[in-house]
Amino acid sequence: MRNKQEWFDQKVEAVSKEIMTEVQLSADIIARIDEILKEKDMTQRDLARKLGKSDAVVSRWTTGFPNLTLRSIAEISCALGVPLIQVVK
């Protein structure tokens, strides 16, 4: 039997470039939310209250790989007062 690392590496190689890019973008957005919360001395609960969402929703957004919509990203950006993403012109 192959070792677990070889098996894992083979599975990762089989993932499409588009999926890998999506996962990386999602991770970057989650990291950005966390960074802004720390800069503003806010908690996930504070963000949930500003958004009118449950703590569980915000927790799911920040502890996994959520499929955030542009609307959700815009809402979070407005609640934090800082853009989460910027499009390069």
Side-chain angles (χ1 to χ4, degrees):
M1 180 177 171
R2 296 177 298 179
N3 71 38
K4 291 178 185 179
Q5 187 62 48
E6 288 175 354
W7 177 87
F8 179 79
D9 292 342
Q10 182 183 24
K11 296 301 179 190
V12 168
E13 287 175 19
V15 174
S16 72
K17 186 175 181 176
E18 292 82 6
I19 297 296
M20 291 300 287
T21 300
E22 179 182 353
V23 169
Q24 185 59 58
L25 287 168
S26 188
D28 290 346
I29 290 170
I30 292 166
R32 180 75 175 129
I33 292 169
D34 187 54
E35 176 184 302
I36 295 167
L37 288 174
K38 286 178 182 169
E39 286 173 3
K40 294 185 171 277
D41 198 29
M42 291 175 64
T43 65
Q44 289 180 11
R45 176 169 281 160
D46 295 330
L47 179 58
R49 298 294 176 264
K50 280 187 157 227
L51 292 167
K53 307 279 186 193
S54 71
D55 295 353
V57 167
V58 173
S59 179
R60 276 194 307 270
W61 284 349
T62 58
T63 58
F65 292 97
N67 187 10
L68 293 170
T69 63
L70 287 175
R71 179 176 297 263
S72 295
I73 292 168
E75 289 174 354
I76 296 166
S77 293
C78 288
L80 294 173
V82 180
L84 291 179
I85 59 175
Q86 293 179 331
V87 177
V88 178
K89 295 181 181 180

